[in-house]
Amino acid sequence: MFSSRSGFWPALPALILLLVFFLFPVVRMLGFSVEAGTLDWYAKALGEGLYLRVLWNTFEIALLVTLFCLLLGYPLGFLMATTTPFWATMGFIFVLLPLWTSVLVRTYAWMVLLGRNGVFNRMLMEAGITSDPIPLLHNFTGVLIGMVHVLLPYMVLPIYGAVRKVDPAIPAAAAGLGASNWRIFWRVWMPLTLNGVFAGCVLVFVLSLGFYITPALLGGGRVIMIAVLIEQQVREALNWPFAAALSAVLLAATFAVYTLAQRFTQPETAR
Amino acid sequence: MAARGGSAELLIEGVGKRFGDVVALDHVSLSVAQGELLTILGPSGSGKTTLLKVVAGFETPDGGTVKVGGTDISALPPARRDIGMVFQNYALFPHLSVKANVAFPLEMRNVAKPETERRVAEALAMVELAGYEARLPKQLSGGQQQRVALARAIVFNPRLLLLDEPFGALDRKLRETMQLEVRRLQRRLGLTTIFITHDQEEALVLSDRIAVMNKGTIQQIATTTEIYERPANDFVADFVGESNIFHGTMSAPGAVTLDGGRTLVVRSDRQAGAKVGVLMRPERFASGGTNQFAGEVIESVYLGTSFKLRLACEGGLELLVRQPARGALPAAGAKVAVGIDPEAIHVF
Amino acid sequence: MDTRKLNRRQAVALLGGAAALGAAGPAFGQAEPAKPAQLVVNHSGGSMGTAMRKAFFNGFEKKYGIKVVETSPVDFGKLRAMVDSGNVEWDLTEIGGQDAIRAGKANLLDKVDPKVVDRSKYPATAQNPFVFASSVYTTIIGYRTDVFKGGTQPKSWADWWDVKKFPGARSMRNHPTDNLEFALIADGVPKDKLYPIDFDRAFKKLDQIKPHVTVWWSTGQQPAQLLLDKEVVLATGWNGRFYDIIKKGAPVEIEWNEGALKQGSFAIPRGAKSPYWANKMLAELAIPQQQAVYASELGYPGLNLESLNFVDAKVKPYLPTNYLDKQFWISDEWYAENGTKAAELWNAWMLKKA
């Protein structure tokens, strides 16, 4: 008992910080949404097809982005954690580089690469692979590529950490006991790095939900995410109660998804 | 275990391995008979772990072959070698229960469920862990984890059992119990076993034969008594047990003149003029004997059953001597005389 | 030698002082509020900031000895938060057209002081008591001259909608403003009968063009970039952005007919620290010669129509004030009332499949 109580004090500054910079604004925001003493703004957010559809779209995009980040990020994080220090450093530089450039710059770079007359299409056409440019930009594909690029580091780093934490003797033991690489991966690596995978997925998913610059620029305007609508309510319509209600709905939905995901990825216990 | 006979003899021929400039294994050859327990004993960096990894398939040798039961397995991946291994830190699957851990090699071999159940239960009974099936490794003590690792390594009737310093993490008492238990189990199953350790005492307790390794080569491979009584060189003599080692020249048949000038009567057919090493084990000294030494006690330790004395003798000789603990422990400065018979002196 | 140089410098200083006295002349009767150390002007930043510094801020600093501190971006939400909390950092801020109308009504702004700022030469649309119209910009058609050669470009919104006669990928703004009006004009509504907007009619017309719009742009530099990269051959966009790439030699031209005019606005937040000096700054923004400097930089002329007389003949064809009759004014008043509704309908229309 004593030790748990004394363990509380060092965490106090962090708790106060969270309280002031996270909890207080959230409560304030929730306050805005019921300012008028009614739940009318919630009724509008949940009742009008537009907002539910955009919310659904947003989750769909976030889910896909998370999936692609996982598919790319797991092998990358795994390789970085198991290769020589030189290649690990190179990997880190390339993975972290996007974090040091602004989202806008990265997005414009993709526009240069993916456009009708962009680098990719010119290469494909010169190589004779296609005669007409492939639409990579100003559609869903463009949004996916751009967002996956921006968010990949958030997937790679926790997975890298999780892989590094596994005692290399454990997969070796599995191999010695007759497991093929495929089975070592699914029976040993996957469950032992699930924490990292979960952390990476949650990070990428939640960050995806708040995106709007990248989808607006790379999606040709067709891909609408909830953050765009919230921003419109804050900056254009000046309807803060409604913006708050939309944010609250997004927050609640995010928590729901998080809880669900946690339930599913609970590390397997005694069988 | 129902189906026995998985166990086979091991033959290592001319295996070499370099890591950059470091020679980890220098043309190592050895054989282990079916059902034998061979200990590879050596200090850290001697190459013993590399040799084990080569046998298990985790390390590819630069040359040489590894044969099990007459078949060359050098090119096989670890998964297809059918070798059970217990790792230093056990390498249990932390996310799997005891039962799932032990069942793992059977699962990988697609053994039918009832058969798996039966064999897992048998293996757990053998290591006295029946009833612990549902526990996770972290809910077990170190000794129990060790037993799980052992059960997991033998449950699939491996051709070989490899033990990589498995007792290092256990306290002394538990270690001794586990050593005896492993020995009993190995005998009972007739498992060809290689045991890696840097602890010479452990090696003496467990082994049929011991291979002493240093700097990538095998210094001597022999039975435990042979290693102890008749070491092949300084390194083995020094590494295994307590010893007094001197160097000298055969001055006549049956006589060695040590470099310090003292002449000892020995049993040896080495020719006169040969440079030789002389080993006298501390416990082989008695009050009387052909070769007499008179000295002064520099240091004395009481060990319960014996006294351990360090003596400064004439001619600059320093001797380590063990005497049955009888009477008072000689104090530093006391004069003591000891003797040793020629039969108790090993010349190499 | 040395003494003579000193003397000359002193003479210049004296002259400058006299000029400053003269400039302060009209307000001399009343006590002039104390000069603050700095005046904070908030604007969109980027090339606009550079042009404003060149055309207005440098002169203002020299004239009054008050440092002009620039901040950006323009943010209506932040303006509201500042005024509500009583902690107003900005002395003057740029503000979007319809936002300005609403901000005035929401009591977030101070009135422009007519005694300091002379707007007698301004058109009637630019006389809002709370809002100073600093410049004019228009949403018009930009086109690739290598695709539409020798005047074959679309010359009206009806042409824009005619994808058979004028084929090619198009880009339009991802916003109801402009597009609703363009659709109605294309559908035959006269330019002076656009408001109130008939949503059904506008969106029905927009349905026709939707499949041919490759990019719905959301930032100002997108349309120019899209034309440059040949992602599209036709784009609606703000005249200044096209002017910028035309100046640099891009194969792009502007069709001015039926452009949607809007005014760039500045306003003084209520509770600003130096409202008098903010008005002084507005007076600076109203000087036609300075407006001409600004217009030559960006292609956004001021609404003091005299300023056209001070621009280079080569620049004049790229200024929207040169074509006021061919174009129409977006109604900020209508959007102030109906903007939210329009945005919701627009989003819903965007989400509609096909």
Side-chain angles (χ1 to χ4, degrees):
Chain A
M1 277 318 279
F2 181 74
S3 73
S4 76
R5 205 189 310 157
S6 65
F8 166 81
W9 294 109
L12 195 63
L15 281 175
I16 290 174
L17 208 72
L18 268 180
L19 203 72
V20 172
F21 291 103
F22 180 73
L23 205 60
F24 175 70
V26 166
V27 169
R28 186 78 205 280
M29 180 194 81
L30 292 175
F32 267 130
S33 67
V34 291
E35 215 175 37
T38 65
L39 293 176
D40 287 359
W41 294 117
Y42 286 95
K44 184 177 165 70
L46 297 171
E48 280 178 26
L50 170 66
Y51 299 100
L52 278 184
R53 278 233 3 232
V54 171
L55 199 66
W56 179 249
N57 279 357
T58 305
F59 275 72
E60 217 171 49
I61 291 168
L63 207 66
L64 272 171
V65 169
T66 309
L67 187 74
F68 278 104
C69 276
L70 182 60
L71 288 179
L72 291 173
Y74 198 99
L76 197 57
F78 189 91
L79 281 177
M80 277 164 55
T82 48
T83 185
T84 59
F86 172 77
W87 287 112
T89 310
M90 293 307 277
F92 265 115
I93 290 173
F94 281 110
V95 166
L96 292 178
L97 209 58
L99 282 182
W100 300 327
T101 28
S102 89
V103 178
L104 219 57
V105 169
R106 279 177 279 171
T107 305
Y108 275 97
W110 279 117
M111 290 168 81
V112 170
L113 288 174
L114 300 176
R116 279 176 61 81
N117 300 297
V119 177
F120 283 165
N121 268 320
R122 253 181 292 156
M123 264 167 34
L124 289 177
M125 282 173 4
E126 267 161 37
I129 295 168
T130 52
S131 51
D132 290 318
I134 300 170
L136 297 168
L137 193 62
H138 307 306
N139 54 23
F140 200 72
T141 315
V143 175
L144 270 188
I145 293 174
M147 286 180 71
V148 167
H149 177 236
V150 171
L151 292 171
L152 193 58
Y154 298 96
M155 184 65 84
V156 170
L157 295 182
I159 287 175
Y160 170 85
V163 173
R164 283 301 294 250
K165 260 175 44 191
V166 175
D167 176 1
I170 292 173
L177 293 169
S180 61
N181 286 338
W182 179 252
R183 290 175 101 165
I184 293 174
F185 179 77
W186 285 110
R187 289 288 277 146
V188 179
W189 281 115
M190 217 27 182
L192 290 184
T193 53
L194 207 59
N195 278 342
V197 168
F198 183 69
C201 286
V202 167
L203 271 174
V204 170
F205 185 81
V206 171
L207 288 172
S208 296
L209 294 176
F211 261 57
Y212 68 92
I213 300 174
T214 306
L217 289 180
L218 298 180
R222 282 180 201 80
V223 180
I224 305 180
M225 297 188 72
I226 193 76
V228 176
L229 296 192
I230 294 174
E231 196 238 359
Q232 275 178 4
Q233 291 302 324
V234 172
R235 297 233 313 229
E236 284 195 40
L238 280 204
N239 189 343
W240 290 6
F242 185 42
L246 283 175
S247 305
V249 170
L250 177 62
L251 193 66
T254 309
F255 268 121
V257 170
Y258 175 83
T259 316
L260 221 75
Q262 208 183 27
R263 186 77 45 88
F264 272 113
T265 53
Q266 208 57 243
E268 55 183 308
T269 40
R271 297 186 320 154
Chain B
M1 300 268 114
R4 191 68 40 74
S7 176
E9 89 272 2
L10 168 72
L11 195 62
I12 297 171
E13 283 173 331
V15 166
K17 178 77 190 175
R18 301 173 70 99
F19 295 108
D21 289 338
V22 182
V23 179
L25 295 175
D26 188 5
H27 291 87
V28 171
S29 298
L30 64 82
S31 66
V32 188
Q34 187 184 334
E36 184 185 21
L37 194 155
L38 177 89
T39 295
I40 299 178
L41 174 66
S44 58
S46 59
K48 57 187 194 303
T49 299
T50 306
L51 184 60
L52 195 75
K53 282 183 174 169
V54 167
V55 173
F58 297 129
E59 207 68 80
T60 314
D62 301 333
T65 55
V66 178
K67 287 181 182 169
V68 174
T71 318
D72 187 353
I73 61 162
S74 307
L76 289 181
R80 294 180 51 205
R81 293 193 176 197
D82 269 338
I83 292 174
M85 179 157 171
V86 176
F87 288 77
Q88 255 176 60
N89 297 312
Y90 321 133
L92 294 178
F93 305 124
H95 58 299
L96 297 181
S97 66
V98 166
K99 186 175 168 186
N101 260 284
V102 177
F104 190 89
L106 301 177
E107 183 192 329
M108 295 305 124
R109 285 165 178 76
N110 300 316
V111 174
K113 225 172 167 185
E115 168 85 353
T116 300
E117 293 273 334
R118 193 178 57 74
R119 284 166 72 173
V120 169
E122 221 173 71
L124 284 175
M126 219 175 296
V127 296
E128 289 164 10
L129 274 181
Y132 288 82
E133 286 84 353
R135 302 263 187 110
L136 284 173
K138 63 168 181 252
Q139 297 166 317
L140 301 178
S141 70
Q144 289 169 329
Q145 290 184 24
Q146 162 102 76
R147 289 159 200 256
V148 175
L150 197 59
R152 189 178 69 172
I154 59 173
V155 71
F156 61 106
N157 283 333
R159 315 210 74 191
L160 290 179
L161 177 63
L162 307 181
L163 306 168
D164 184 10
E165 306 226 18
F167 308 120
L170 304 179
D171 64 61
R172 189 186 169 83
K173 196 118 199 224
L174 191 55
R175 193 184 320 171
E176 280 168 6
T177 321
M178 283 309 296
Q179 283 166 1
L180 292 174
E181 212 164 297
V182 164
R183 184 73 177 130
R184 205 170 54 230
L185 201 65
Q186 184 267 341
R187 290 252 166 85
R188 204 174 123 198
L189 299 175
L191 261 173
T192 312
T193 302
I194 295 184
F195 173 70
I196 297 265
T197 186
H198 65 270
D199 182 335
Q200 42 96 14
E201 234 177 279
E202 196 167 86
L204 295 174
V205 171
L206 276 173
S207 322
D208 291 322
R209 284 191 305 151
I210 296 175
V212 180
M213 273 192 87
N214 189 34
K215 294 181 177 161
T217 55
I218 291 180
Q219 306 288 320
Q220 185 176 11
I221 181 161
T223 60
T224 48
T225 36
E226 193 131 344
I227 290 276
Y228 189 78
E229 304 285 349
R230 286 183 290 283
N233 55 34
D234 276 23
F235 179 80
V236 178
D238 188 43
F239 195 73
V240 181
E242 294 172 325
S243 53
N244 297 288
I245 300 168
F246 301 104
H247 296 98
T249 317
M250 294 300 291
S251 47
V256 176
T257 304
L258 300 183
D259 292 346
R262 169 78 194 252
T263 299
L264 298 178
V265 181
V266 298
R267 292 271 180 274
S268 172
D269 47 12
R270 299 286 291 271
Q271 281 183 335
K275 296 276 181 200
V276 295
V278 170
L279 166 69
M280 294 175 282
R281 293 291 184 193
E283 70 276 12
R284 305 302 292 269
F285 289 95
S287 45
T290 314
N291 300 293
Q292 281 290 324
F293 300 90
E296 191 176 305
V297 176
I298 312 170
E299 197 186 327
S300 60
V301 181
Y302 175 66
L303 290 171
T305 54
S306 63
F307 298 143
K308 187 161 138 183
L309 308 175
R310 191 174 293 283
L311 303 178
C313 303
E314 66 273 29
L317 283 180
E318 207 179 290
L319 286 180
L320 190 65
V321 174
R322 271 184 194 251
Q323 287 184 336
R326 219 168 282 138
L329 177 68
K335 303 281 183 207
V336 174
V338 293
I340 190 165
D341 283 330
E343 295 76 26
I345 301 178
H346 173 55
V347 177
F348 56 94
Chain C
M1 277 285 270
D2 274 345
T3 22
R4 242 182 32 207
K5 242 185 197 170
L6 250 171
N7 284 340
R8 201 193 286 160
R9 255 190 225 153
Q10 282 169 331
V12 170
L14 265 171
L15 275 170
L21 261 174
F28 203 63
Q30 323 149 16
E32 186 166 75
K35 282 183 188 175
Q38 60 176 46
L39 193 74
V40 181
V41 180
N42 184 60
H43 56 65
S44 332
S47 57
M48 180 191 177
T50 319
M52 287 203 80
R53 177 143 285 283
K54 187 172 168 187
F56 308 112
F57 298 159
N58 284 341
F60 184 87
E61 284 181 350
K62 205 172 281 168
K63 210 183 279 178
Y64 301 112
I66 299 171
K67 193 168 176 273
V68 177
V69 174
E70 300 170 60
T71 59
S72 64
V74 172
D75 188 331
F76 192 8
K78 196 166 171 187
L79 170 69
R80 193 181 118 162
M82 276 188 191
V83 176
D84 283 354
S85 68
N87 180 22
V88 181
E89 293 166 27
W90 304 331
D91 292 301
L92 193 61
T93 182
E94 191 190 341
I95 186 164
Q98 64 181 70
D99 290 345
I101 305 289
R102 286 190 301 176
K105 285 183 182 157
N107 203 18
L108 296 174
L109 302 177
D110 263 1
K111 280 189 178 157
V112 176
D113 184 352
K115 288 199 281 291
V116 181
V117 186
D118 175 15
R119 288 194 286 184
S120 55
K121 300 271 168 25
Y122 277 58
T125 48
Q127 299 282 2
N128 184 303
F130 291 102
V131 188
F132 177 80
S134 58
S135 65
V136 180
Y137 66 105
T138 179
T139 311
I140 30 71
I141 297 172
Y143 61 93
R144 294 278 306 196
T145 49
D146 52 354
V147 176
F148 300 101
K149 292 182 184 119
T152 57
Q153 79 278 11
K155 294 184 188 67
S156 67
W157 295 113
D159 284 358
W160 177 276
W161 252 257
D162 189 344
V163 293
K164 286 216 181 67
K165 214 166 135 197
F166 304 94
R170 286 149 163 79
S171 177
M172 297 176 91
R173 188 182 176 195
N174 188 9
H175 203 275
T177 311
D178 303 339
N179 290 329
L180 295 174
E181 287 82 352
F182 296 159
L184 291 175
I185 293 171
D187 207 32
V189 177
K191 284 189 293 190
D192 54 351
K193 298 273 187 312
L194 294 170
Y195 301 101
I197 299 269
D198 180 344
F199 283 122
D200 286 344
R201 189 169 172 182
F203 280 114
K204 205 170 274 171
K205 190 69 183 171
L206 280 166
D207 283 341
Q208 294 173 12
I209 200 70
K210 197 177 185 184
H212 306 281
V213 177
T214 317
V215 184
W216 296 95
W217 57 265
S218 48
T219 66
Q221 70 261 48
Q222 261 180 297
Q225 194 63 43
L226 290 164
L227 283 177
L228 268 183
D229 297 346
K230 241 182 153 181
E231 284 288 313
V232 299
V233 296
L234 289 170
T236 67
W238 297 327
N239 61 291
R241 305 291 185 155
F242 292 142
Y243 173 61
D244 182 51
I245 57 168
I246 292 168
K247 258 198 312 195
K248 290 169 185 155
V252 170
E253 265 304 335
I254 294 171
E255 172 55 52
W256 295 92
N257 194 35
E258 298 178 348
L261 292 162
K262 269 160 283 182
Q263 59 184 45
S265 306
F266 275 81
I268 304 164
R270 194 163 52 80
K273 292 189 182 75
S274 312
Y276 174 81
W277 294 102
N279 273 296
K280 278 290 202 193
M281 176 59 88
L282 292 179
E284 195 73 15
L285 298 189
I287 300 171
Q289 287 88 337
Q290 299 312 116
Q291 290 192 350
V293 173
Y294 183 78
S296 307
E297 285 289 311
L298 297 180
Y300 297 131
L303 269 176
N304 187 331
L305 296 177
E306 276 182 13
S307 67
L308 274 181
N309 303 329
F310 298 100
V311 294
D312 194 289
K314 272 185 286 188
V315 176
K316 207 170 166 184
Y318 290 101
L319 301 184
T321 34
N322 211 28
Y323 311 92
L324 286 181
D325 296 343
K326 297 171 96 175
Q327 308 181 68
F328 67 95
W329 286 93
I330 290 289
S331 169
D332 287 332
E333 285 79 9
W334 187 83
Y335 276 104
E337 293 297 321
N338 302 287
T340 309
K341 171 93 176 137
E344 274 183 7
L345 290 172
W346 180 264
N347 289 331
W349 178 77
M350 259 305 171
L351 281 176
K352 222 168 56 169
K353 293 269 182 284

